[in-house]
Amino acid sequence: MPIKIIPQSLSGKITLPPSKSHMHRILIADFLSGFNIDSTQNYEFCDDTLATYRCLSVISKHDKSKTKNAILDCNESASTFRFLLPLATSLLGDVTFVLRNSLANRPVTQYLKQLENFNIKYEVSKSEDTLIVKTRGFLSSGTYELAADNSSQLLTGLLFTLPLLEAGSELRLKEPPVSSPYVMLTLEILKNYGIHIEASDDLTNFRIRTQQVFSAPASKKIEADFSSAAYFLAADRLQNAGKSVDFRKISFRNLPSNSKQADSKILELLDIIPQVFTSQVNQREEALRNSLCLAQCPDLLPVLAVYAANLKINANDFGFSKPPAVIFTDIARLKGKESDRIATTAALINSTGGFAVAAPNSLTVFANTTKNTRSQTEHTNNSDFYTVDSRGDHRIAMAAAVASVCSNRPIILHNHDCVSKSFPNFWDVFEYLGGELHEI
């Protein structure tokens, strides 16, 4: 059922959910340290972390004398599959992974092939919206030559798994991994649980000692999620015309400081984008480069694009034939997310009064100026509302909510409940801050 989002300003103080990337890793580390993950209710789940929790629970209870093949339902969580692929095969041998809905359409063989030389055989079959991956054999140690140019999650899975094996291992990457902040997070958590990894400074080589033992620290804390904060940080800036001011309408009880989360980059980028636009408007000789690389934080694209498209720039006197623009680059891997996230982000911008142009590895977003040749009515055929389809992508749905803050008309959003993948109570928080929405 679609919802109608009525433009309203937002204000208040909120508590952010736990970091999804941090939670996945803590769950795995707790499990490997012998902690009974079923014995506590202290975990706060979203759909993805719940999938990891349930799979770990199956692994812990699996009785190979009754059934040889353990069935791990990853639901739509790519992280769950990639993290647990090495671990489950090392502990159980034969495993069946179930990948559902959007995950069933995302590539998996590139990860499986990297384990072929380490005693893992596999077969893949598909039935409607479900992909079945069956593996055979126990993962072995050795020297791994990995490609981590699309995702570093298999690398993380191996870093959790290889210290458990009977012989030492080495991981070699041809180039530094994408999303290297997440690899740093993995290494930090492993260190906290007593696991020693020798990593090169550029994260292309990892030497792993044999038969290490996970030991849970006396205390642990799962950081609040910067990915979730990004939507409200951007909304607050739009309410303040893009300015970083001491007084903000939206504040946070638990926003982490000095975080290693990749999406903490949002704070810097929210400052940079207005400067990029202003330098183009003023035709400064030292005009800032208008391309921003998102290789390490590509999931910020939808909210940053909405932010850029809705910043109002005073451009009455600038001499360019086109309005100023920002180009978000190094985002090709977003095509394989819950949606083709480059295309769906462009559609979101273009269907809510903005102007964006998608390319295979970039998205160009034009500023909202008096000289913008694309008027809002041109996008909507003079409709009384904008219409957005999230295509089941949680980040598109939440970015649409941000767009409503400064919209000149309501937004009809289809497939809004997909936010449960990462931020289950997003709409409750949105309404608490003053957002208005109605089921239609």
Side-chain angles (χ1 to χ4, degrees):
M1 180 180 295
I3 58 172
K4 178 187 283 188
I5 311 175
I6 309 299
Q8 299 285 0
S9 62
L10 305 179
S11 64
K13 192 170 189 176
I14 61 173
T15 300
L16 296 165
S19 162
K20 185 160 71 93
S21 55
H22 204 158
M23 172 73 88
H24 281 297
R25 290 162 171 82
I26 290 294
L27 281 168
I28 297 169
D30 276 351
F31 167 75
L32 292 174
S33 66
F35 181 75
N36 182 3
I37 61 173
D38 291 327
S39 67
T40 180
Q41 300 299 316
N42 291 334
Y43 299 120
E44 182 182 338
F45 295 113
C46 62
D47 287 356
D48 278 9
T49 54
L50 183 59
T52 294
Y53 166 81
R54 287 174 172 168
C55 287
L56 290 170
S57 184
V58 169
I59 294 171
S60 69
K61 298 172 183 175
H62 182 63
D63 186 346
K64 285 185 281 188
S65 66
K66 293 182 179 179
T67 173
K68 185 177 181 181
N69 216 307
I71 299 176
L72 303 184
D73 190 339
C74 300
N75 197 11
E76 294 187 68
S77 175
S79 301
T80 301
F81 172 67
R82 296 167 191 167
F83 289 156
L84 297 188
L85 175 60
L87 182 63
T89 54
S90 72
L91 296 175
L92 303 179
D94 297 354
V95 183
T96 296
F97 296 91
V98 181
L99 316 182
R100 300 186 185 278
N101 301 321
S102 64
L103 183 56
N105 297 313
R106 297 169 71 174
V108 298
T109 54
Q110 66 195 73
Y111 305 105
L112 294 161
K113 285 181 178 179
Q114 295 187 80
L115 304 184
E116 280 184 312
N117 292 332
F118 301 91
N119 202 39
I120 299 301
K121 300 183 184 302
Y122 64 89
E123 58 184 70
V124 179
S125 60
K126 189 173 183 182
S127 174
E128 296 182 352
D129 292 331
T130 302
L131 193 73
I132 304 297
V133 178
K134 293 185 177 181
T135 65
R136 299 188 307 279
F138 286 89
L139 186 75
S140 62
S141 57
T143 300
Y144 287 72
E145 302 282 348
L146 288 183
D149 55 344
N150 186 58
S151 172
S152 61
Q153 290 173 343
L154 181 65
L155 170 61
T156 281
L158 286 165
L159 288 171
F160 271 99
T161 303
L162 295 178
L164 305 171
L165 302 187
E166 293 183 357
S169 295
E170 186 175 358
L171 295 170
R172 297 173 181 171
L173 278 63
K174 295 178 181 178
E175 57 188 28
V178 296
S179 302
S180 58
Y182 292 114
V183 180
M184 295 297 295
L185 176 62
T186 296
L187 293 173
E188 181 180 83
I189 290 173
L190 287 169
K191 182 179 179 181
N192 290 342
Y193 280 76
I195 301 300
H196 180 72
I197 308 286
E198 294 179 21
S200 62
D201 290 342
D202 62 356
L203 301 178
T204 59
N205 187 273
F206 303 84
R207 297 181 65 84
I208 302 161
R209 294 205 310 257
T210 181
Q211 296 179 312
Q212 297 190 57
V213 178
F214 280 76
S215 177
S219 63
K220 55 181 179 283
K221 181 180 180 181
I222 299 175
E223 282 190 353
D225 189 32
F226 250 106
S227 301
S228 299
Y231 302 97
F232 297 109
L233 288 165
D236 200 40
R237 288 290 189 93
L238 286 173
Q239 293 178 150
N240 289 304
K243 297 177 181 178
S244 176
V245 294
D246 292 333
F247 175 76
R248 297 182 176 91
K249 293 181 179 180
I250 302 174
S251 59
F252 307 91
R253 295 184 180 90
N254 58 338
L255 187 69
S257 58
N258 302 316
S259 175
K260 288 185 172 64
Q261 293 179 53
D263 287 353
S264 64
K265 185 80 171 176
I266 185 72
L267 296 172
E268 177 184 342
L269 293 171
L270 290 176
D271 283 335
I272 290 175
I273 290 171
Q275 297 171 21
V276 169
F277 285 155
T278 302
S279 70
Q280 293 174 61
V281 168
N282 295 336
Q283 302 181 65
R284 301 201 320 244
E285 290 184 5
E286 69 276 19
L288 295 174
R289 183 181 177 188
N290 70 341
S291 62
L292 296 179
C293 174
L294 298 187
Q296 301 297 338
C297 52
D299 288 334
L300 290 178
L301 176 70
V303 69
L304 288 174
V306 166
Y307 175 69
N310 287 281
L311 279 174
K312 291 179 172 59
I313 304 296
N314 184 1
N316 287 321
D317 299 322
F318 79 89
F320 291 105
S321 59
K322 295 190 297 185
V326 60
I327 305 171
F328 299 105
T329 67
D330 299 277
I331 54 174
R333 58 197 174 106
L334 291 180
K335 295 175 71 66
K337 294 286 188 174
E338 288 77 12
S339 67
D340 176 347
R341 197 171 285 163
I342 302 175
T344 48
T345 300
L348 167 62
I349 301 304
N350 291 330
S351 62
T352 53
F355 186 17
V357 178
N361 193 33
S362 67
L363 181 74
T364 301
V365 180
F366 292 88
N368 182 356
T369 74
T370 54
K371 293 266 184 129
N372 196 329
T373 56
R374 299 273 294 232
S375 68
Q376 291 185 333
T377 54
E378 186 179 338
H379 291 273
T380 58
N381 297 320
N382 297 313
S383 174
D384 293 330
F385 53 82
Y386 297 128
T387 300
V388 174
D389 190 340
S390 75
R391 302 291 180 184
D393 191 327
H394 54 131
R395 300 198 186 279
I396 299 298
M398 291 186 280
V402 176
S404 75
V405 170
C406 50
S407 177
N408 66 343
R409 63 194 73 179
I411 294 174
I412 305 297
L413 176 62
H414 294 265
N415 298 305
H416 70 287
D417 55 356
C418 57
V419 299
S420 62
K421 183 173 178 66
S422 61
F423 196 164
N425 66 333
F426 174 83
W427 296 115
D428 293 334
V429 173
F430 183 73
E431 288 187 294
Y432 170 79
L433 292 173
E436 183 180 349
L437 51 93
H438 306 277
E439 290 187 347
I440 57 175

